[in-house]
PDB file of all heavy atoms in Angstrom:
ATOM      1  N   ALA B  42      26.134  -7.576   9.599  1.00 65.00           N
ATOM      2  CA  ALA B  42      25.634  -8.909  10.023  1.00 65.00           C
ATOM      3  C   ALA B  42      24.849  -8.755  11.372  1.00 65.00           C
ATOM      4  O   ALA B  42      23.787  -9.370  11.530  1.00 65.00           O
ATOM      5  CB  ALA B  42      26.856  -9.816  10.249  1.00 65.00           C
ATOM      6  N   GLU B  43      25.394  -7.940  12.286  1.00 68.00           N
ATOM      7  CA  GLU B  43      24.660  -7.695  13.523  1.00 68.00           C
ATOM      8  C   GLU B  43      23.304  -7.108  13.303  1.00 68.00           C
ATOM      9  O   GLU B  43      22.309  -7.459  13.930  1.00 68.00           O
ATOM     10  CB  GLU B  43      25.447  -6.709  14.384  1.00 68.00           C
ATOM     11  CG  GLU B  43      26.371  -7.363  15.405  1.00 68.00           C
ATOM     12  CD  GLU B  43      27.193  -6.292  16.151  1.00 68.00           C
ATOM     13  OE1 GLU B  43      26.543  -5.330  16.608  1.00 68.00           O
ATOM     14  OE2 GLU B  43      28.411  -6.452  16.267  1.00 68.00           O
ATOM     15  N   GLY B  44      23.295  -6.168  12.471  1.00 74.00           N
ATOM     16  CA  GLY B  44      22.016  -5.376  12.134  1.00 74.00           C
ATOM     17  C   GLY B  44      21.020  -6.378  11.537  1.00 74.00           C
ATOM     18  O   GLY B  44      19.834  -6.447  11.988  1.00 74.00           O
ATOM     19  N   ARG B  45      21.536  -7.293  10.639  1.00 79.00           N
ATOM     20  CA  ARG B  45      20.658  -8.204   9.967  1.00 79.00           C
ATOM     21  C   ARG B  45      20.037  -9.208  11.006  1.00 79.00           C
ATOM     22  O   ARG B  45      18.878  -9.358  11.073  1.00 79.00           O
ATOM     23  CB  ARG B  45      21.483  -8.960   8.997  1.00 79.00           C
ATOM     24  CG  ARG B  45      20.704  -9.869   8.110  1.00 79.00           C
ATOM     25  CD  ARG B  45      21.714 -10.724   7.236  1.00 79.00           C
ATOM     26  NE  ARG B  45      21.051 -11.877   6.759  1.00 79.00           N
ATOM     27  CZ  ARG B  45      20.514 -11.972   5.497  1.00 79.00           C
ATOM     28  NH1 ARG B  45      20.632 -11.036   4.658  1.00 79.00           N
ATOM     29  NH2 ARG B  45      19.830 -13.093   5.160  1.00 79.00           N
ATOM     30  N   ALA B  46      20.891  -9.659  11.879  1.00 83.00           N
ATOM     31  CA  ALA B  46      20.403 -10.665  12.863  1.00 83.00           C
ATOM     32  C   ALA B  46      19.432 -10.000  13.824  1.00 83.00           C
ATOM     33  O   ALA B  46      18.390 -10.586  14.178  1.00 83.00           O
ATOM     34  CB  ALA B  46      21.599 -11.231  13.707  1.00 83.00           C
ATOM     35  N   GLU B  47      19.651  -8.774  14.172  1.00 87.00           N
ATOM     36  CA  GLU B  47      18.812  -8.027  15.097  1.00 87.00           C
ATOM     37  C   GLU B  47      17.452  -7.856  14.509  1.00 87.00           C
ATOM     38  O   GLU B  47      16.426  -8.091  15.075  1.00 87.00           O
ATOM     39  CB  GLU B  47      19.505  -6.702  15.493  1.00 87.00           C
ATOM     40  CG  GLU B  47      18.679  -5.911  16.504  1.00 87.00           C
ATOM     41  CD  GLU B  47      19.304  -4.547  16.817  1.00 87.00           C
ATOM     42  OE1 GLU B  47      20.441  -4.344  16.494  1.00 87.00           O
ATOM     43  OE2 GLU B  47      18.635  -3.799  17.459  1.00 87.00           O
ATOM     44  N   LEU B  48      17.462  -7.386  13.154  1.00 90.00           N
ATOM     45  CA  LEU B  48      16.171  -7.192  12.542  1.00 90.00           C
ATOM     46  C   LEU B  48      15.415  -8.491  12.326  1.00 90.00           C
ATOM     47  O   LEU B  48      14.182  -8.482  12.543  1.00 90.00           O
ATOM     48  CB  LEU B  48      16.412  -6.444  11.172  1.00 90.00           C
ATOM     49  CG  LEU B  48      16.932  -5.071  11.129  1.00 90.00           C
ATOM     50  CD1 LEU B  48      16.975  -4.494   9.774  1.00 90.00           C
ATOM     51  CD2 LEU B  48      16.148  -4.214  12.074  1.00 90.00           C
ATOM     52  N   ILE B  49      16.109  -9.559  11.999  1.00 89.00           N
ATOM     53  CA  ILE B  49      15.410 -10.850  11.852  1.00 89.00           C
ATOM     54  C   ILE B  49      14.781 -11.310  13.180  1.00 89.00           C
ATOM     55  O   ILE B  49      13.662 -11.762  13.194  1.00 89.00           O
ATOM     56  CB  ILE B  49      16.393 -11.948  11.390  1.00 89.00           C
ATOM     57  CG1 ILE B  49      16.773 -11.555   9.898  1.00 89.00           C
ATOM     58  CG2 ILE B  49      15.724 -13.348  11.443  1.00 89.00           C
ATOM     59  CD1 ILE B  49      17.815 -12.531   9.274  1.00 89.00           C
ATOM     60  N   ALA B  50      15.521 -11.038  14.230  1.00 90.00           N
ATOM     61  CA  ALA B  50      14.958 -11.360  15.620  1.00 90.00           C
ATOM     62  C   ALA B  50      13.623 -10.529  15.915  1.00 90.00           C
ATOM     63  O   ALA B  50      12.674 -11.100  16.380  1.00 90.00           O
ATOM     64  CB  ALA B  50      15.984 -11.161  16.693  1.00 90.00           C
ATOM     65  N   TYR B  51      13.755  -9.306  15.544  1.00 91.00           N
ATOM     66  CA  TYR B  51      12.523  -8.470  15.762  1.00 91.00           C
ATOM     67  C   TYR B  51      11.345  -8.948  14.963  1.00 91.00           C
ATOM     68  O   TYR B  51      10.290  -9.036  15.485  1.00 91.00           O
ATOM     69  CB  TYR B  51      12.804  -6.988  15.384  1.00 91.00           C
ATOM     70  CG  TYR B  51      13.742  -6.180  16.299  1.00 91.00           C
ATOM     71  CD1 TYR B  51      14.579  -5.250  15.820  1.00 91.00           C
ATOM     72  CD2 TYR B  51      13.759  -6.539  17.690  1.00 91.00           C
ATOM     73  CE1 TYR B  51      15.465  -4.497  16.624  1.00 91.00           C
ATOM     74  CE2 TYR B  51      14.644  -5.819  18.511  1.00 91.00           C
ATOM     75  CZ  TYR B  51      15.423  -4.816  18.027  1.00 91.00           C
ATOM     76  OH  TYR B  51      16.287  -4.168  18.850  1.00 91.00           O
ATOM     77  N   LEU B  52      11.638  -9.263  13.685  1.00 92.00           N
ATOM     78  CA  LEU B  52      10.494  -9.751  12.831  1.00 92.00           C
ATOM     79  C   LEU B  52       9.909 -10.993  13.381  1.00 92.00           C
ATOM     80  O   LEU B  52       8.680 -11.224  13.415  1.00 92.00           O
ATOM     81  CB  LEU B  52      10.997  -9.886  11.414  1.00 92.00           C
ATOM     82  CG  LEU B  52      11.330  -8.584  10.643  1.00 92.00           C
ATOM     83  CD1 LEU B  52      12.005  -8.827   9.300  1.00 92.00           C
ATOM     84  CD2 LEU B  52       9.992  -7.825  10.422  1.00 92.00           C
ATOM     85  N   TYR B  53      10.766 -11.890  13.891  1.00 89.00           N
ATOM     86  CA  TYR B  53      10.244 -13.091  14.458  1.00 89.00           C
ATOM     87  C   TYR B  53       9.357 -12.814  15.684  1.00 89.00           C
ATOM     88  O   TYR B  53       8.260 -13.341  15.816  1.00 89.00           O
ATOM     89  CB  TYR B  53      11.380 -14.046  14.895  1.00 89.00           C
ATOM     90  CG  TYR B  53      10.958 -15.216  15.638  1.00 89.00           C
ATOM     91  CD1 TYR B  53      10.216 -16.247  14.919  1.00 89.00           C
ATOM     92  CD2 TYR B  53      11.162 -15.399  17.002  1.00 89.00           C
ATOM     93  CE1 TYR B  53       9.824 -17.313  15.613  1.00 89.00           C
ATOM     94  CE2 TYR B  53      10.762 -16.482  17.644  1.00 89.00           C
ATOM     95  CZ  TYR B  53       9.969 -17.535  16.987  1.00 89.00           C
ATOM     96  OH  TYR B  53       9.529 -18.573  17.687  1.00 89.00           O
ATOM     97  N   ARG B  54       9.825 -11.971  16.524  1.00 91.00           N
ATOM     98  CA  ARG B  54       9.065 -11.563  17.734  1.00 91.00           C
ATOM     99  C   ARG B  54       7.732 -10.821  17.322  1.00 91.00           C
ATOM    100  O   ARG B  54       6.632 -11.065  17.979  1.00 91.00           O
ATOM    101  CB  ARG B  54       9.895 -10.784  18.714  1.00 91.00           C
ATOM    102  CG  ARG B  54      10.938 -11.654  19.390  1.00 91.00           C
ATOM    103  CD  ARG B  54      11.947 -10.798  20.181  1.00 91.00           C
ATOM    104  NE  ARG B  54      11.275  -9.872  21.007  1.00 91.00           N
ATOM    105  CZ  ARG B  54      11.769  -8.712  21.450  1.00 91.00           C
ATOM    106  NH1 ARG B  54      12.990  -8.331  21.043  1.00 91.00           N
ATOM    107  NH2 ARG B  54      11.083  -7.934  22.358  1.00 91.00           N
ATOM    108  N   ILE B  55       7.847 -10.021  16.329  1.00 92.00           N
ATOM    109  CA  ILE B  55       6.590  -9.353  15.831  1.00 92.00           C
ATOM    110  C   ILE B  55       5.636 -10.328  15.356  1.00 92.00           C
ATOM    111  O   ILE B  55       4.435 -10.214  15.598  1.00 92.00           O
ATOM    112  CB  ILE B  55       6.961  -8.296  14.734  1.00 92.00           C
ATOM    113  CG1 ILE B  55       7.781  -7.149  15.320  1.00 92.00           C
ATOM    114  CG2 ILE B  55       5.700  -7.715  14.101  1.00 92.00           C
ATOM    115  CD1 ILE B  55       8.484  -6.302  14.340  1.00 92.00           C
ATOM    116  N   SER B  56       6.085 -11.342  14.627  1.00 89.00           N
ATOM    117  CA  SER B  56       5.174 -12.311  14.108  1.00 89.00           C
ATOM    118  C   SER B  56       4.400 -13.069  15.193  1.00 89.00           C
ATOM    119  O   SER B  56       3.394 -13.668  15.078  1.00 89.00           O
ATOM    120  CB  SER B  56       5.932 -13.271  13.168  1.00 89.00           C
ATOM    121  OG  SER B  56       6.673 -14.248  13.988  1.00 89.00           O
TER     122      SER B  56
END
Side-chain angles (χ1 to χ4, degrees):
Chain B
E43 265 177 46
R45 188 188 159 99
E47 185 179 347
L48 294 185
I49 291 174
Y51 288 148
L52 287 171
Y53 173 70
R54 288 170 50 204
I55 292 166
S56 74

